[in-house]
Amino acid sequence: MWRKGLEMPPWAEISILFVVLLVIPIYVLTMSAPPVLIDLLNRTSIGTLALITSLSIVDFICALDMGRWKSPSGSKPDEESSLLMGKVLDEDIEMGGKPEDIRLSVVIPCYLPNEVDIIENTIDQLMYRMDYDADYQVVVVYNYSQAEELKTEVQQLEYRLKSREKIVQVGSSERELVVKRCSTSSSKAENVNYGVGLSSGNVVGILDADHLPMSNSLSEVARLWTPETCALQGSSFVRNQDRNMLTRIVSIEEGLVYNVHHCGGSFWRGFGVFGGSNGFWRKSALSQLLFDKDMLTEDIDVSLRALLLGGIIRHEPSVLSSELVPETVHDLWRQRLRWAQGWFQCSYKHFGELMRSRKTSLQQKLGVTVMFLMREVWYYLMPTSIVITAATALRRYLEVDAKSTVHINEGTVSNVIFLMFIITFSVELLYSYATIPRQQRLSYPWILLGIVCFIPFVFFLVLAGITGQFREMYGCQRWDITSRPSDTASGNRTYSSETRATNSQSCTIAVDKQEQ
C-alpha cells in the first residue's frame, strides 16, 4: 500500500481521505452551486446545528434535575426481569441504602507492565483513605503476556503486591485485600469476570487501575443503593489535566460528558450506561451477564444486555473518582479509535434488539435511537454543517450571489442558532466546572484557550469515529493498548522516588532468592 512508501500512520491517512473526500467537495459545492441548492444546504446545516443545540439543552436541563431521578416505569421490575435484579436471592430482597445491608467488593483489573506505576496508589487509596465504616473487600486481578513475564519491573511489583497486608483495620472498618493473577486472561473483560467470581460482596464495584475514588464514594454508594438498583455509574474528573494542552482540552470534554450529557441523558433516556470504571453492580446481575471479551467496549455491551433484561443503570454524580487521560496525541488516538469502533460494534449488534424488545419503553427506544443513530451520523453531520456554514458565510462575504435575498434571512437564523449553541456550551462548561473539586480546576485563561482549541479537537474525534466505523466494517478487531501516564508529575504518587528505589532494591534481592 502507498502508506509503506510514505511511512504515514493510519490516522494521517484517514485525515487526508477525510479532507479530500468530504470537506473539499462540500466546500467546492457550496461555493459553486446554484442559489437554490445553496439554500437547501444552508437550511440543512442550520437544522443540524439546531438539533445538536436542542439535545444539549435537554441534557443540561435534565442534569439539573438529577436529584429526582426515578425508574422510567416508576414501578418494580416484573417477574422475568427480577431474575436479573437479584430478587431470587433472599439476602438481596431487603438490600437498601444502609451500609449494614450492603457488602461491598471492589474489583480492580490491571494489565502489566502498562499499569505498574499507578496500581499501588489505587490500592492504597482504597485500603487506607476511604471514609467508610463498614467492612469491604478489594480484589486486584492482573495479567500479563509471556513476553512481559521476565521483566524485572513486573516481578518486583508482583512481589510487592503479594507482600502487602491482606487485612487492614481502619477505625471500625475491616478491609480485605485479595491479589490474584489470571493466567488465562488476555483482556480486561476476563480479568473483571475472574474478579467478580472472587468477590464476597453482594455489590461489586469496578475501578480501572488509574481511577482514584473520592474518600466518600463508598459511603455514597451505600446511601444511594435501593432494592430496585441494578447498577450505579459514578462520575469522574481528570487529575492530570495540567500536564499539557491536550490533557486540558480532554479535561474540558470529560467534564461536559460526565456532568452534563451522561447525567442528563440518563434522565430523559430512562437509562444510563456503564462507563467501564467507577461503576457498582449488583453481583447477582453481573454474575449472570458477565463481560464479553470479544467486544471492544465491553462496558457498553454489558449495559445494553442489562437493559434488554430489564436492568436499569443509574448515573449518580456524587459517586466521584479521578482518572488519568492520555498525554500524547498518539495514545489519545488509539483510545478514541477503540471507543468509536466499540460503540459502532454495539450499535449494530443491539440496536435492532432494543427497538424490538417489549422490555424497553417508548422513552428508552427514543433514547437508544438518539444515543446510537445520532452518534454514528454525527461524525458526518457535524463537520459537514461547519463546512457549509463557513463556506456560505464566505460566499455571502464575496457577494457571489449578491441578488439572492434568501441568504440574508438564512444567515440571520444561522447566527441566532449559532449564538444559542455558544451560550449553551458556555453554561454547560460553567456547570461542569463547578462540580469539579476546587484543587483540580483549570485556571480561567487555560479554559478560554481550551475552548478555542475545542473545534479542532471535535474534528479529531470525528476522524476517530469514521476510522472506527471503517475498521469495524473491514473486520479489524485488534486491541491497541493505551499507555497509562504515571501520577508522578501530579504529585499523587504513594511512593517517593527514594522509597521507590529502596523498595525496588529489596524486591530484586527477594526475587533473586526465589529464583535460586
Side-chain angles (χ1 to χ4, degrees):
M1 192 175 175
W2 57 275
R3 184 203 310 168
K4 294 181 179 180
L6 297 178
E7 296 184 353
M8 298 182 67
W11 66 269
E13 285 184 18
I14 198 66
S15 301
I16 295 173
L17 291 174
F18 175 77
V19 172
V20 172
L21 299 180
L22 185 64
V23 175
I24 292 179
I26 292 174
Y27 179 80
V28 172
L29 178 64
T30 306
M31 294 299 289
S32 60
V36 175
L37 182 57
I38 290 298
D39 293 337
L40 177 61
L41 291 174
N42 200 25
R43 287 191 178 99
T44 302
S45 65
I46 292 173
T48 301
L49 195 59
L51 177 61
I52 294 172
T53 304
S54 300
L55 290 175
S56 295
I57 292 174
V58 170
D59 281 349
F60 177 66
I61 293 174
C62 291
L64 294 176
D65 201 34
M66 273 297 294
R68 289 175 283 177
W69 198 100
K70 292 182 179 179
S71 170
S73 62
S75 60
K76 293 184 177 181
D78 58 30
E79 198 171 296
E80 185 179 348
S81 65
S82 67
L83 295 176
L84 177 69
M85 300 298 287
K87 297 293 183 176
V88 293
L89 301 179
D90 293 338
E91 62 183 2
D92 279 348
I93 291 180
E94 300 299 330
M95 191 168 64
K98 298 179 181 179
E100 58 266 26
D101 296 329
I102 295 177
R103 299 189 311 278
L104 272 172
S105 292
V106 180
V107 176
I108 308 175
C110 179
Y111 176 75
L112 303 179
N114 197 43
E115 291 162 329
V116 164
D117 291 330
I118 56 179
I119 182 61
E120 291 174 279
N121 199 23
T122 305
I123 295 173
D124 285 343
Q125 178 75 10
L126 282 164
M127 295 298 289
Y128 300 106
R129 306 173 196 150
M130 301 305 292
D131 182 18
Y132 187 61
D133 295 332
D135 301 343
Y136 62 91
Q137 178 192 45
V138 177
V139 181
V140 179
V141 179
Y142 66 94
N143 72 300
Y144 50 80
S145 65
Q146 294 299 319
E148 307 293 349
E149 192 167 0
L150 299 178
K151 284 195 174 181
T152 304
E153 192 174 17
V154 173
Q155 290 180 320
Q156 292 172 359
L157 177 63
E158 275 196 294
Y159 178 80
R160 290 198 301 273
L161 292 179
K162 293 176 181 178
S163 301
R164 295 179 71 102
E165 291 182 272
K166 297 302 183 285
I167 301 292
V168 174
Q169 192 76 31
V170 179
S172 60
S173 172
E174 185 176 276
R175 302 163 186 192
E176 178 189 5
L177 176 64
V178 177
V179 179
K180 294 287 184 180
R181 177 193 172 193
C182 186
S183 58
T184 59
S185 172
S186 59
S187 65
K188 173 185 173 180
E190 291 170 296
N191 282 357
V192 173
N193 292 340
Y194 186 66
V196 171
L198 294 173
S199 63
S200 59
N202 52 15
V203 173
V204 178
I206 299 173
L207 277 177
D208 283 347
D210 67 307
H211 273 247
L212 294 180
M214 300 294 282
S215 59
N216 68 334
S217 291
L218 301 184
S219 300
E220 283 296 292
V221 172
R223 182 181 69 84
L224 296 166
W225 199 270
T226 66
E228 291 78 29
T229 301
C230 177
L232 289 181
Q233 172 60 50
S235 188
S236 184
F237 64 91
V238 177
R239 71 175 180 273
N240 64 329
Q241 82 283 356
D242 58 349
R243 298 290 179 88
N244 54 45
M245 192 65 230
L246 181 63
T247 57
R248 292 181 175 95
I249 296 173
V250 175
S251 70
I252 293 174
E253 180 219 15
E254 291 274 316
L256 292 173
V257 168
Y258 274 109
N259 299 314
V260 177
H261 299 297
H262 278 189
C263 232
S266 66
F267 185 97
W268 70 262
R269 287 194 306 260
F271 67 92
V273 293
F274 172 51
S277 183
N278 197 29
F280 294 80
W281 287 78
R282 185 180 294 267
K283 183 181 177 180
S284 54
L286 196 55
S287 297
Q288 294 178 59
L289 291 167
L290 295 178
F291 288 84
D292 187 349
K293 67 181 180 64
D294 295 323
M295 300 297 291
L296 290 175
T297 49
E298 68 287 327
D299 47 359
I300 307 302
D301 173 69
V302 77
S303 302
L304 300 178
R305 287 190 284 118
L307 182 61
L308 284 167
L309 294 176
I312 301 298
I313 300 173
R314 289 167 38 211
H315 189 94
E316 292 291 352
S318 61
V319 181
L320 192 61
S321 71
S322 65
E323 64 174 318
L324 299 171
V325 296
E327 298 178 357
T328 65
V329 175
H330 176 71
D331 287 333
L332 185 66
W333 171 260
R334 299 175 82 173
Q335 181 193 68
R336 297 310 173 94
L337 184 60
R338 179 175 61 83
W339 288 2
Q341 185 177 352
W343 272 90
F344 185 61
Q345 195 178 42
C346 290
S347 297
Y348 74 75
K349 178 181 178 181
H350 295 296
F351 182 76
E353 291 179 294
L354 289 165
M355 297 304 289
R356 293 189 300 268
S357 175
R358 294 183 179 182
K359 289 198 172 295
T360 52
S361 64
L362 182 62
Q363 175 190 2
Q364 292 170 336
K365 285 180 169 63
L366 175 62
V368 168
T369 301
V370 173
M371 186 171 69
F372 286 111
L373 202 58
M374 276 299 298
R375 178 186 177 90
E376 302 306 329
V377 175
W378 176 87
Y379 295 131
Y380 303 91
L381 290 180
M382 188 65 173
T384 302
S385 176
I386 292 176
V387 172
I388 290 176
T389 302
T392 304
L394 180 60
R395 181 168 177 159
R396 286 200 301 269
Y397 177 76
L398 297 175
E399 297 182 345
V400 176
D401 295 309
K403 297 181 180 180
S404 177
T405 59
V406 181
H407 288 301
I408 298 176
N409 297 330
E410 294 293 339
T412 303
V413 175
S414 178
N415 292 337
V416 170
I417 293 177
F418 185 73
L419 181 62
M420 288 178 60
F421 177 79
I422 294 298
I423 293 174
T424 303
F425 177 76
S426 301
V427 172
E428 288 179 352
L429 183 63
L430 290 174
Y431 173 76
S432 64
Y433 179 81
T435 62
I436 298 174
R438 187 178 301 275
Q439 66 272 21
Q440 297 292 338
R441 295 177 184 174
L442 293 172
S443 60
Y444 288 112
W446 282 116
I447 291 177
L448 293 175
L449 185 58
I451 293 174
V452 172
C453 298
F454 205 77
I455 290 181
F457 181 70
V458 168
F459 274 89
F460 174 84
L461 298 180
V462 166
L463 291 174
I466 294 175
T467 309
Q469 291 176 349
F470 279 102
R471 275 172 59 106
E472 182 61 28
M473 289 187 288
Y474 184 71
C476 178
Q477 297 290 326
R478 187 179 71 250
W479 181 294
D480 293 324
I481 298 172
T482 305
S483 299
R484 294 286 195 194
S486 70
D487 263 327
T488 306
S490 296
N492 292 322
R493 284 286 294 150
T494 302
Y495 295 103
S496 66
S497 58
E498 182 180 352
T499 306
R500 175 77 177 198
T502 304
N503 287 345
S504 298
Q505 184 179 4
S506 62
C507 290
T508 304
I509 296 172
V511 170
D512 290 341
K513 289 182 178 178
Q514 288 179 348
E515 290 176 350
Q516 292 173 0

